[in-house]
Amino acid sequence: MTRKKLNVGLIGSGFMGQAHADAWRRAGLLYRNLPMEPVLHTLADATPELAAEAARRFGFHQGTADWRAMIDNPDIDVVDITTPNSMHVEMALAAIRAGKHVYCEKPLTVTLSDAQMLVQEAERAGVKTMVAFNNIKTPAAQLAKQLIDRGDIGTPTRFRGWFDQGFFNDPDLPWSWRCSREQAGSGSLGDLGSHVVSVAQYLMGPVKSVMGQEQIFIESRPAPGAGSGYGASADKKADRIGVENDDQFQSLVTFENRAGGVIESSRISAGKVFGIAWEVSGTEGTIMMDGERFNELKIARYSDAKHDRGFKTIYAGSQVEQFGGFFGFDFAGGGLGYFDVKVIEIYDLIKGLSGETGCFPDFRFGLENQEIIDAMVRSSSSGTRVDIRSQEV
Ligand code: NAI
C-alpha cells in the first residue's frame, strides 16, 4: 500500500531539532501502521551554513536560512518548530496563516496573550496543532493514566511532581536565552516545570488555583562565546550578563476536582540529571514515577492483603499501544530511552494529522499549561493565591 507523503519543514537544529529529526526518521521506520510517510523536506536554521550542515547531517532534502519561505512553500505539510521560546509565536502564526499544521516545542509561547492568540488563529484556520510535551508520552505516564481511569487508586486526592536538573549549577556556565525573561519567559519553571504541569493536567485534570515562589541563586553568567546550549563550556574571563528568571520554583496547586498538589522545578539542583518525578495518591492507592527509571511505575494498593502491602514495580510496556513500534511482540520494562519518547510523540502526531485520532496535546492544552505557569509567576510576584480562569478564547 502506498502511503500519502507528509512533507516536514523543521525549524532549528539544536538539541531539540536533532531529537525531532531523529524521531521523524525512526517513526517512519518503526511503525508499520503509520498512516502517512514522513518526508524530511526542508530544514531552516539561522544561517545558510547552519542549515546546510544540519540538513545534510539529518538527511533533509535541503536547508535554508529563510524559514518564512520554507513555510510558504506549498509542498510543506507540517511545520515543526524547535527554536528558542520567544520565536515560537511568530513562526507558528506564519505557519497557521499559510494553512500548515504546526508541531511546536514547549512552552508554546512566552506570554499568555500570545498563546491565546495562537489558539484562536489555529482553531479559526482549522489547522491541526501539537505541543511537544513529551513527558506525557512516556509509556509510564500513559499507563498511569490507564490505571487512574480504571480506578486502581480510587479517587485522586493529591499530585506531587518536580523536575530537577543540575545543568546550570556551575555559575561560570555561559548566559543563554534561557536566562532572559523576553526570550524564555520564566526560567526553570517554563523550561522544566511546564513538563510537570503537563503531567498534572493529563493525570489530574484542570487546575483551579496556585501559589508560587521562586529564587535566583546565580545572578549573572558569562556572556556566551562558543555556544550556549546545554553542553557549552565556561569562559571565566567573559563579561557577565544578568540572569532574569528563576533558577528554582515551588508552587502549591489546587485542582478543580478538589485534589491538592505541589509542583517544583530547578535547573541548579546539583547532581540531578533527569530528575523528573511525580506521584498521584488516591483513596485506594498511590502511583509513583521516577524519570531516571521511566520504563517503570511503582504502585501501592491499599486493598492489598496485609502481608502483601507495599510498593510494587510495574513494567510499562505493551499495555501502551505506542510501545509496540519498538518491540513487535509482548514486552515490557527495559528498552525505551529519552529520544524514543519523541518517536512516540511523532507517531501520535502523524495519526492525529491523518484524522485517525485528534492531535493531543494540542495548542489549547498548551494554552492551559501557559495559564498555569503565568498564574504561578504572578503569584510569586504578588505573594497571593491566583485563580486560573480558563480563558474563553
Ligand atoms: P538550542 O539553542 O539547542 O537550539 C535552537 C535552534 O534554533 C538552533 O539550531 C538555532 O540556530 C535555531 N535558531 C535560532 N534562531 C533562528 C532563526 N531565526 N531561524 C531559524 N532557526 C533559528 O535550543 P533547544 O535546547 O533545542 O530548545 C529549543 C526549544 O525546545 C525550546 O523551546 C525549549 O524549551 C524546547 N526544549 C524542549 C525539550 C523537551 O524535552 N521537550 C528539551 C529541551 C528543549
Side-chain angles (χ1 to χ4, degrees):
M1 187 187 78
T2 45
R3 290 180 297 189
K4 187 174 180 300
K5 297 213 186 301
L6 179 73
N7 287 331
V8 179
L10 172 66
I11 317 181
S13 64
F15 176 49
M16 273 302 106
Q18 176 174 301
H20 285 217
D22 170 59
W24 281 112
R25 292 175 70 106
R26 286 199 293 134
L29 183 151
L30 290 167
Y31 287 102
R32 295 173 193 196
N33 61 340
L34 260 194
M36 288 189 272
E37 183 188 332
V39 176
L40 303 188
H41 191 288
T42 305
L43 183 139
D45 209 316
T47 66
E49 295 74 27
L50 279 173
E53 190 279 328
R56 185 193 49 73
R57 190 160 47 93
F58 297 169
F60 277 76
H61 294 338
Q62 57 191 4
T64 176
D66 187 347
W67 58 265
R68 287 182 186 280
M70 181 191 84
I71 287 174
D72 288 337
N73 180 345
D75 291 340
I76 296 291
D77 299 309
V78 57
V79 175
D80 179 356
I81 301 170
T82 67
T83 47
N85 304 358
S86 63
M87 294 178 192
H88 296 177
V89 61
E90 194 184 7
M91 293 169 171
L93 185 60
I96 292 167
R97 291 200 168 150
K100 306 297 164 76
H101 304 303
V102 196
Y103 168 43
C104 184
E105 262 306 334
K106 47 55 58 180
L108 180 55
T109 56
V110 171
T111 67
L112 184 55
S113 55
D114 279 347
Q116 288 164 341
M117 180 271 294
L118 283 184
V119 167
Q120 257 176 355
E121 293 272 345
E123 290 181 358
R124 193 180 304 139
V127 299
K128 297 194 175 174
T129 58
M130 188 184 253
V131 188
F133 284 115
N134 38 280
N135 284 285
I136 60 176
K137 296 293 181 187
T138 60
Q142 298 193 51
L143 179 56
K145 174 87 173 129
Q146 288 177 15
L147 296 175
I148 292 170
D149 289 351
R150 206 172 69 179
D152 278 35
I153 59 162
T155 305
T157 52
R158 189 190 62 188
F159 175 87
R160 269 196 195 144
W162 57 90
F163 200 162
D164 292 344
Q165 291 196 354
F167 70 92
F168 241 12
N169 191 51
D170 179 350
D172 291 325
L173 273 180
W175 189 94
S176 90
W177 59 265
R178 286 188 162 80
C179 306
S180 154
R181 284 224 170 256
E182 195 187 328
Q183 293 179 58
S186 58
S188 74
L189 178 62
D191 198 21
L192 303 171
S194 61
H195 281 295
V196 185
V197 171
S198 75
V199 177
Q201 290 171 266
Y202 181 51
L203 298 181
M204 306 293 289
V207 170
K208 188 163 184 278
S209 67
V210 297
M211 281 189 75
Q213 61 176 31
E214 65 195 277
Q215 300 87 36
I216 299 178
F217 274 93
I218 298 167
E219 287 174 353
S220 69
R221 291 184 176 276
S228 58
Y230 288 124
S233 56
D235 176 1
K236 291 187 185 180
K237 292 190 287 297
D239 289 342
R240 297 185 78 92
I241 305 179
V243 170
E244 297 170 350
N245 52 22
D246 55 280
D247 284 325
Q248 52 185 32
F249 204 102
Q250 306 88 36
S251 186
L252 284 175
V253 177
T254 307
F255 295 90
E256 280 183 6
N257 64 8
R258 286 181 55 232
V262 179
I263 291 178
E264 296 178 59
S265 57
S266 171
R267 60 188 179 193
I268 55 160
S269 188
K272 292 277 190 89
V273 182
F274 194 57
I276 183 165
W278 41 262
E279 60 180 59
V280 181
S281 289
T283 49
E284 303 293 331
T286 293
I287 289 173
M288 301 195 314
M289 200 286 307
D290 168 358
E292 290 176 3
R293 302 188 66 83
F294 72 74
N295 289 287
E296 297 173 4
L297 272 185
K298 299 260 185 229
I299 185 165
R301 292 187 175 89
Y302 191 63
S303 59
D304 280 352
K306 258 188 195 154
H307 57 270
D308 274 345
R309 281 204 184 140
F311 279 91
K312 321 259 180 327
T313 300
I314 305 182
Y315 296 144
S318 307
Q319 312 97 316
V320 173
E321 180 234 322
Q322 289 85 336
F323 188 86
F326 297 86
F327 297 92
F329 42 87
D330 189 19
F331 196 69
L336 264 55
Y338 178 82
F339 296 103
D340 298 328
V341 180
K342 281 287 176 201
V343 181
I344 290 179
E345 184 169 88
I346 282 186
Y347 170 68
D348 284 355
L349 172 66
I350 294 174
K351 280 180 68 175
L353 295 182
S354 76
E356 273 188 24
T357 57
C359 279
F360 176 80
D362 62 6
F363 275 14
R364 188 164 278 280
F365 183 100
L367 166 61
E368 284 158 13
N369 186 281
Q370 198 82 34
E371 284 171 346
I372 297 164
I373 301 284
D374 187 74
M376 287 172 173
V377 172
R378 280 188 289 131
S379 168
S380 168
S381 50
S382 68
T384 56
R385 179 173 286 278
V386 174
D387 286 337
I388 317 289
R389 277 177 296 277
S390 209
Q391 312 288 326
E392 287 295 319
V393 297

